[in-house]
Amino acid sequence: MANTTNRQIVIAARPNGKAQLSDFNIVEQAIPSPGDGEVLFRNLLISMDPYQRNLMGNASSELPPIDIGQPMSGPTVAVVEQSRNANFAVGDHVVSWSGWQEYGLSDGSDLQKIDPEAAPLSTALGVLGHTGLTAWLGVSKFLNPKPGGTFVVTAAAGSVGSVAAQLAKLRGHRVIGIAGGPEKVRYLKEDLGLDDAVDYKAPDFAEQLARALPNGLDTLFDNVGGYMFEALMPYFNHHAQIVICGTIAQYDFPDAPNGPNRLPELLKSFLYRFIEIRSFALPDHLGSHPEFLAEVGPLVSQGKIKYSEEFVDGFENIPDAFLRLFDGRNRGKLIARVGGTRARHQATP
Amino acid sequence: MANTTNRQIVIAARPNGKAQLSDFNIVEQAIPSPGDGEVLFRNLLISMDPYQRNLMGNASSELPPIDIGQPMSGPTVAVVEQSRNANFAVGDHVVSWSGWQEYGLSDGSDLQKIDPEAAPLSTALGVLGHTGLTAWLGVSKFLNPKPGGTFVVTAAAGSVGSVAAQLAKLRGHRVIGIAGGPEKVRYLKEDLGLDDAVDYKAPDFAEQLARALPNGLDTLFDNVGGYMFEALMPYFNHHAQIVICGTIAQYDFPDAPNGPNRLPELLKSFLYRFIEIRSFALPDHLGSHPEFLAEVGPLVSQGKIKYSEEFVDGFENIPDAFLRLFDGRNRGKLIARVGGTRARHQATP
């Protein structure tokens, strides 16, 4: 029997600190019908990313929060089920930004067709999708360090950090990854081949960091901010280059936390060490996607860039899986498989 | 009777917080004799600059402090009294880096000849010297804002800030100066022609700032750091460009002050507003001095860039005058006239 309802996971409440299950709700609506020029697609894979915490409100963010009652936004891999748009045929696979819902409607402008034969569909949400592109932009377009220096990546076992660290390694840097727990440290050193890895959850984190950075750091790809950035500040070398890609450690804290105030120390690092900090917004750089794919696509298929994915089955399990992103329990790109049991790959409208 | 002693103002003690008179000592030594290739010069004008606080130690600085018992370093205008260097003749006027002493000896490599007819000698320590060059480098080489935006200068009545503010005005920006006290505010608005000025000592500083920055700030030339930088953070526009030229508000505080911790807010500004912060070391850019003089020299002689100087007479009064730099009592470039009563312009060796 054809499915007639579209389930959505909506923001039920603004989190008070850490997000909780009760901040989400699952609602049902009728599957919409495409108007002239529109496409109806069914999501197969739904991405969960740390930045989505910021879209829930009460966060250290300047992104506008999603309205209460509206579904979480974000990228998905979908299959076209009905099309009134000449550019898309039923059965086409696309990346959409329809977020946490089972079906989406689009005029096509925010859809990107993908070839399901070229690479596993899930890579379009990770190593060859928005997280890989983010890593590549940071390393290739916003950092320009001399090879041979020390390149630090925080949240290095994560979906962005792991690609950034491997790209930095391929460019000839001494790459140090920071991640939580011995298994991730092993993964970074043995599987990804980084020069060293530091466990931020270990009681001797400070000592591990000092051992890993005997000559300071020349480049930092930071996904964490907060206490992690503060721990790294003393290691900034003269002319160190830094990309701030995320501040996951401070997403839950909308106000200035208790001191000591580390801002004067950072200003001093600008004044005396000439450090440079940059950031960028992914939507401003989507035009670089072909250049990114041309470089990173072959590296992935040759196994020179490894990636890790963690799948969660079932639409209703998305909120619980999402919350894992914030306690360091997951590794690699976190993706929900939602189309499995209801697959209608050749559905007719 | 020819003078035979060279007085020096030396660092007597590391300051504990604010520098005090007791942190200095005046000592005498015999005037040295130039060796082969060397030049003996007598200082006429001695510069006092806020960064010199950092050379005293126990400061929020990464400059190596001067050894206890050694004279404060810094720029002077001097006249050559004895020369065993073919490039310098007795009577030549030079800028030296001999610091707070009456005489200096050099192999000539750190001396720069100046023409006493071209401009008042004192300008070689200020508007046409290291402070003017610093302002010009920041505005011309390290900031590249679109004309028409809001350009904020802190310590805007100071020797660097006043030149930076006027250069920004000449480049078509809406320039807001921040300084302490109604007289400096009047000076910035009426004498320098800035678009607005804000008194950081006024009880309604926050309200004045809000009124002066209805559209935020696009460019910041900051000489102050600390609380001043923190007050300006909420006004940073997307892609705001910032030069950190000094952090005078935090020189006396070597440790991280009590909170709240404003660092996470700044990291957030990088992530969501794409602000850019730069700094530079003057010694790395002395090669730009001719380009600077070619632009700013005519602007000064045409009165398009105004400058303010405050003179202190007498070598022994240098420490007291220097301390004024830190409570906002002085305005413009602070210079000690030390050669007056002992002038021997045509002295023979």
Side-chain angles (χ1 to χ4, degrees), chain B residues 11-332:
Chain B
I11 312 299
R14 304 283 180 223
N16 184 6
K18 263 175 109 82
Q20 302 181 63
L21 279 182
S22 58
D23 298 324
F24 299 100
N25 228 341
I26 299 190
V27 302
E28 294 197 3
Q29 59 165 216
I31 296 175
S33 290
D36 196 33
E38 287 187 327
V39 170
L40 174 73
F41 52 85
R42 183 167 50 83
N43 285 325
L44 305 175
L45 302 169
I46 293 180
S47 180
M48 285 158 279
D49 296 285
Y51 78 88
Q52 290 172 315
R53 164 66 184 90
N54 292 326
L55 304 177
M56 301 177 71
N58 282 348
S60 171
S61 168
E62 298 187 353
L63 299 173
I66 291 171
D67 289 340
I68 297 289
Q70 290 299 306
M72 175 65 82
S73 75
T76 73
V77 167
V79 62
V80 173
E81 291 219 333
Q82 299 178 31
S83 178
R84 296 182 63 186
N85 180 316
N87 296 320
F88 296 92
V90 170
D92 278 356
H93 286 84
V94 293
V95 171
S96 93
W97 284 81
S98 57
W100 294 2
Q101 54 184 328
E102 292 180 300
Y103 289 85
L105 204 61
S106 168
D107 65 2
S109 61
D110 59 345
L111 300 181
Q112 179 201 346
K113 266 196 255 196
I114 51 174
D115 176 2
E117 309 298 325
L121 285 178
S122 59
T123 59
L125 296 180
V127 65
L128 298 180
H130 63 290
T131 58
L133 176 57
T134 297
W136 179 86
L137 284 167
V139 173
S140 303
K141 301 289 182 187
F142 293 89
L143 295 168
N144 185 29
K146 278 178 284 199
T150 299
F151 192 120
V152 173
V153 180
T154 65
S159 53
V160 174
S162 60
V163 176
Q166 291 175 89
L167 286 171
K169 190 73 192 140
L170 287 167
R171 280 162 168 71
H173 305 288
R174 180 171 177 269
V175 180
I176 313 298
I178 304 181
E183 167 51 22
K184 287 185 183 174
V185 163
R186 189 208 59 74
Y187 171 73
L188 294 176
K189 290 203 275 197
E190 294 177 20
D191 295 353
L192 301 192
L194 305 193
D195 295 284
D196 205 349
V198 170
D199 178 3
Y200 74 83
K201 292 184 172 176
D204 65 339
F205 169 51
E207 290 76 17
Q208 285 191 28
L209 201 57
R211 275 197 301 273
L213 302 175
N215 301 313
L217 73 83
D218 303 293
T219 317
L220 170 61
F221 190 114
D222 187 23
N223 298 294
V224 176
Y227 73 92
M228 184 74 83
F229 188 93
E230 292 183 13
L232 291 167
M233 275 203 286
Y235 295 96
F236 294 170
N237 286 338
H238 281 217
H239 299 286
Q241 298 185 13
I242 297 164
V243 154
I244 307 282
C245 184
T247 55
I248 188 170
Q250 56 189 68
Y251 288 168
D252 293 332
F253 306 104
D255 298 308
N258 288 333
N261 185 1
R262 301 293 297 275
L263 180 66
E265 184 179 340
L266 184 62
L267 297 182
K268 197 171 73 166
S269 287
F270 287 106
L271 191 58
Y272 295 109
R273 303 189 195 182
F274 320 109
I275 64 166
E276 296 173 38
I277 303 187
R278 304 191 183 95
S279 191
F280 60 94
L282 185 63
D284 296 342
H285 300 277
L286 295 178
S288 294
H289 201 256
E291 186 187 350
F292 154 70
L293 275 186
E295 178 183 350
V296 178
L299 291 171
V300 170
S301 54
Q302 293 158 20
K304 289 180 182 164
I305 287 190
K306 300 186 175 73
Y307 62 98
S308 173
E309 296 174 328
E310 185 178 336
F311 291 99
V312 175
D313 286 302
F315 183 76
E316 61 283 0
N317 294 321
I318 287 176
D320 181 60
F322 171 70
L323 298 180
R324 275 190 238 168
L325 289 167
F326 301 94
D327 57 15
R329 274 186 289 160
N330 84 297
R331 193 181 75 202

Side-chain angles (χ1 to χ4, degrees), chain A residues 5 51 62 73 96 102 119 125 127 138 165 190 210 249 254 276 283 299 321 325 347:
Chain A
T5 61
Y51 79 88
E62 298 187 353
S73 74
S96 93
E102 293 180 299
L125 295 181
V127 64
E190 295 176 22
E276 296 173 39
L299 291 171
L325 289 167

